[in-house]
Structures are given as structure tokens and as C-alpha cells.
Amino acid sequence: MTPKKFNQDLFRFIDQSPSPFHGVRYMEKQLKATGFLRLEEKDAWNLEANGRYYITRNGSSVIAFIMGKEQPWESGIKMVGAHTDSPCLRVKPEPAQNSNSMTRLGCEIYGGTLLNTWFDRGLNLAGRITCRIIEDEKERLQSILINYNRPVALIPSLAIHLDREANKNRTVNPQLHIPPLFSIGDPEKSLPFKEQLLARAKEEHPGTGIQEVIDYELSFSDAEPAAYAGIDNEIISAPRLDNLLSCHAALKGLESAAPSSTAMVVFTDNEEVGSDTLAGARGSFLESVLSRMAPTPEQFARTAARSFMISCDNAHAVHPALSDKHDPNHSPTLNTGPVLKINASQRYASDSESSALFRHVCRRAGLTVQNFVMRSDLPCGSTIGPAISSQTGIRTVDVGAATLAMHSIRELSGSNDPFMLFKALNKFFSLDEPPLLSLT
Ligand code: CO
């Protein structure tokens, strides 16, 4: 595997994952193709040594694991976590806003979106719709995924001539300015939004007996595919690098590992809105899966105490024009190595023991580790690491690939960064020794 091939695979994943639902469906296909068996939360499980399994929740989170020879409470679980969601625009239930023969779609802002980057870009529309279906004369509800997979809307900027101060102080009002322009013409003559969705659903899923779209979770995203940039292709420019880059690196790391003890990836939804959801890292998904691998309270406690998680989420690379936004001694750069994230207020779960283990893994993989700590006069963001660590009692380190323009509609990373993260995670899964250090 070369970085180039690895990136091709990453680009395909990003392009085919405009929503967490699509991302999980894509990963599911990869898992099936590499021998992972689907388990259902509602069924009884029979886990076998060396077995490969995965479970999804809400279609937007997935946990996959390879069972070790020994029980999880005997040798622990090596875990890597990441999130499947990215900041975006979520379509409201009654979205149509008509004026001057133009229809815009009202949206809520999902996550900490950098809104000014969303103007004048082709926007794709994708997500989950729940439909009334009639099959063999029986009526039922079913959710399906749709993806227009092309620019179906955009948000036009106001011309500079109508706002001469725009370059000084244009602000974005999400209610007034963000609803993307979806169609032009007499709204009386165009199909209502749900009818449009119905037509698209029938086109994507012919012969499935879809009668009506009852509800939906649809979001706009950048329609432009992931691409290289830079004079030597040393940069990646892509939507949703935060955090599909990490999901991809972790999945590849697991698939190609030959772990001696149980190894697991945990990809959860809703990190960008706090993780406190059905499928989020603060929800019950991981704990529920772990408690079925280690059913008694004692087995669970022993498993947690012997396990280790690398929580992966992108890290802020130092900006070429605004380097003073970083602490000068903790300014990660692109194409240098994975970033270890540290915060005294524990907005990141890293501590000296978990950090030491990550450095140890990277040294074994021949990688340089960079350190990120926020400036002491700026507040720090957070991620899934502290949620998982505090809820399960699993020692965790927060790391990530260096990234510029985080939460922009297009984010940048170095073209070697995804592969370096993969090498670190693959090495972690392949470590012979137990994941926990015996320092204490
Ligand atoms: Co993130």
C-alpha cells in the first residue's frame, strides 16, 4: 500500500459519504468484503475467538471488532474511535421559502460550521428518508438513503456593488442568508419538496414500492469531489476530512491488522453537536456492545481496566498567515506526523500514560509525533475521547491528523497525513504486548 493508493481509497470514501448514513453504509460494504459478519443489537450473539463482527446503530454509527484468542477481560481490547458526522446544513421539515420566483430551502446549522465558506459552491443533498412502502399488498415504513450526487442548490453571495463594506465586515445570519437556492420559476408549478424527494427515491431505488416520503434527515454538503492541491500534490483539499479521514485510517488499520488480542473500531455520530444522542459517543452504544462481550459486571470492569482507546479527530495545523493563533512550541504542521492533543482541563482525554503509549506506538511505526496544546489564552475544543474514557473507564489518548480550515466546507490536510495516521493505528492494533502500560 502506497500513500497514493491509500488516498485514492480515502477520496472514494469521502465522495461517497455525503452523510453519516452514507459513510456507515460504505464502511459496512468494506467490512463485509473483508470477512466481518453483521450482528443485530436485537438478536442474541455468539462471539467466537478470531471472529470478525460489526454492529450499526441508527445507520449512522458502527462498531467493528476482531475477537482475540483470549477473552476481552483477560487481555483487554485495543480500540480506535472517531466520529462519522461533519458540520453541515440540515433541511427543515417545511423548508420551502418562495420569493421573486425563487425557492430556497430553510436549513438548521448542524455543528460549528464555518458559514462564510458555504457561499457560491455547488451543494449536494443527501441523507435518510423514511417512506411508506407497499409490497405484496402489505404496507410498512422503511428508511432508505438518497443522494442526488450533484450540485442541486447553492447560496449566492451578495455582489460587492450592493455591499461595499463586504470585505470589512460582512456577517452571516443563518436564518436569513443561508437557505440555499433550490429552484427558479413559478413555485405553484413545481413539485412540493417531499414529492421531489419521492421522485428521487424512486429513481435511486426502482421497484421498491415506495408510495410516500413521510420524514427525512437530509443535509447539504459540498458537491465537489476530494482532490489534491499544491504544486507537488502535497495537499489534500476535501469536504468532511474531519472526521472521515480518521474513520478511514482506523478501518484500514483494523482490516489489515493481525491482532493478538481483541481489536475494535468505534465510529459514532453526532460528535459535532455534543454526542449526547442515540448513536453518539455519550449514548449507550459502546457500553452496550462491550457488556455483551464481557457480560458480568466483573468481566466488564476487568475488560475496561485492561483496554486502551486511541480517539482520533483532526488537529489544528498552524495557519500560514496566522501562526500567532498557535502556541509557538505546539504548532503542528502538515505532512509531519500524527498529532497528540493535550489539554490540562481534560477537554482531551490524553494523560501522560496514554500519551506515552501513543508515542511508543509511533516510534515503532517510524513516525514523528507532533504535540498540540491550545494557546493558554484561548479555550480548547473537545471530542469523543473524554466522553468514552469517563463513561467506560477505558484509558484514552486523543490524537489526529494535522488539518487546516477545520469546519470549512473544504478542509486541508497534507497528502501524507492520512497514511501516517493509518500506519500508527495499524501498528497499535498489531502490537504483541497488552495495550496497557504497567507504569502505575
Ligand atoms: Co471532529
Side-chain angles (χ1 to χ4, degrees):
M1 179 76 83
T2 61
K4 204 172 163 194
K5 272 209 137 155
F6 188 80
N7 287 339
Q8 274 171 5
D9 199 71
L10 169 65
F11 288 7
R12 201 175 312 127
F13 173 48
I14 289 174
D15 294 344
Q16 293 187 29
S17 305
S19 76
F21 304 113
H22 288 87
V24 166
R25 189 177 66 177
Y26 187 96
M27 289 192 276
E28 213 180 328
K29 276 192 207 142
Q30 300 288 303
L31 286 162
K32 276 187 187 151
T34 47
F36 285 78
L37 210 71
R38 182 183 165 106
L39 299 173
E40 302 290 340
E41 284 198 278
K42 60 180 158 46
D43 294 339
W45 297 356
N46 179 22
L47 305 176
E48 290 173 6
N50 302 316
R52 295 176 159 223
Y53 306 97
Y54 75 92
I55 312 101
T56 68
R57 185 181 276 195
N58 187 44
S60 62
S61 292
V62 57
I63 293 176
F65 54 94
I66 303 173
M67 290 295 284
K69 285 186 271 308
E70 294 178 318
Q71 294 291 355
W73 55 91
E74 288 164 339
S75 49
I77 305 176
K78 296 190 183 95
M79 302 161 72
V80 174
H83 64 88
T84 59
D85 60 322
S86 302
C88 63
L89 311 180
R90 179 74 68 83
V91 184
K92 291 180 178 178
E94 301 289 347
Q97 301 177 2
N98 305 315
S99 63
N100 301 299
S101 297
M102 290 179 277
T103 302
R104 300 189 302 151
L105 297 182
C107 288
E108 287 185 282
I109 311 301
Y110 178 90
T113 309
L114 205 51
L115 287 174
N116 56 20
T117 63
W118 283 68
F119 287 79
D120 307 317
R121 300 196 65 94
L123 301 179
N124 179 25
L125 183 63
R128 175 173 73 181
I129 58 176
T130 303
C131 305
R132 186 168 62 81
I133 284 184
I134 296 183
E135 209 175 28
D136 301 332
E137 294 174 19
K138 280 196 191 119
E139 188 180 69
R140 63 189 164 85
L141 294 182
Q142 192 183 325
S143 291
I144 56 174
L145 305 191
I146 63 168
N147 176 10
Y148 282 86
N149 205 18
R150 66 183 174 89
V152 292
L154 42 78
I155 310 169
S157 290
L158 183 67
I160 187 97
H161 318 80
L162 305 180
D163 178 9
R164 293 285 179 188
E165 298 297 297
N167 287 334
K168 272 194 203 145
N169 54 13
R170 181 174 290 175
T171 54
V172 181
N173 179 313
Q175 173 68 20
L176 300 178
H177 304 150
I178 284 299
L181 177 59
F182 188 62
S183 68
I184 298 179
D186 185 354
E188 297 292 315
K189 287 187 189 146
S190 64
L191 283 176
F193 184 57
K194 277 188 180 170
E195 297 290 320
Q196 304 257 17
L197 298 179
L198 182 63
R200 178 64 195 175
K202 285 180 175 172
E203 204 178 310
E204 272 194 65
H205 305 271
T208 40
I210 303 166
Q211 306 294 313
E212 184 188 357
V213 174
I214 311 265
D215 238 307
Y216 55 78
E217 276 178 62
L218 295 169
S219 52
F220 285 108
S221 56
D222 189 18
E224 196 181 314
Y228 282 115
I231 191 68
D232 291 320
N233 285 346
E234 65 274 41
I235 301 169
I236 290 171
S237 160
R240 301 179 295 284
L241 285 175
D242 173 13
N243 192 359
L244 295 185
L245 185 159
S246 306
C247 292
H248 178 259
L251 193 65
K252 291 281 153 202
L254 179 69
E255 279 171 7
S256 54
S260 52
S261 58
T262 302
M264 175 186 273
V265 290
V266 182
F267 303 139
T268 51
D269 195 4
N270 301 132
E271 188 274 344
E272 301 294 357
V273 293
S275 296
D276 218 345
T277 63
L278 178 69
R282 288 186 191 281
S284 60
F285 188 29
L286 174 60
E287 219 170 311
S288 163
V289 170
L290 291 178
S291 68
R292 298 173 77 162
M293 298 168 79
T296 72
E298 188 190 85
Q299 287 165 348
F300 187 100
R302 288 172 65 192
T303 300
R306 286 172 192 267
S307 297
F308 187 89
M309 167 165 280
I310 299 180
S311 155
C312 295
D313 202 350
N314 300 35
H316 297 296
V318 66
H319 192 278
L322 298 158
S323 60
D324 60 339
K325 291 288 176 187
H326 273 64
D327 180 301
N329 286 357
H330 304 92
S331 298
T333 49
L334 303 183
N335 284 334
T336 306
V339 181
L340 178 56
K341 302 193 277 186
I342 294 153
N343 177 249
S345 302
Q346 297 299 298
R347 303 278 290 161
Y348 299 132
S350 314
D351 60 24
S352 65
E353 291 199 349
S354 62
S355 299
L357 180 65
F358 186 69
R359 290 184 205 283
H360 175 69
V361 167
C362 286
R363 190 178 324 119
R364 287 276 194 90
L367 298 165
T368 306
V369 178
Q370 308 190 77
N371 296 294
F372 175 75
V373 185
M374 278 302 275
R375 281 181 63 101
S376 303
D377 52 6
L378 284 176
C380 185
S382 192
T383 179
I384 59 168
I388 288 176
S389 182
S390 60
Q391 292 195 343
T392 58
I394 293 170
R395 190 181 294 279
T396 299
V397 64
D398 271 304
V399 309
T403 305
L404 283 168
M406 212 176 315
H407 291 197
S408 164
I409 192 166
R410 279 184 95 77
E411 301 169 322
L412 304 185
S413 82
S415 50
N416 287 327
D417 289 314
F419 192 65
M420 287 192 283
L421 183 64
F422 156 76
K423 274 173 57 177
L425 301 179
N426 188 251
K427 180 60 73 181
F428 168 63
F429 283 134
S430 307
L431 279 185
D432 273 338
E433 64 239 60
L436 253 200
L437 305 176
S438 46
L439 292 176
T440 39

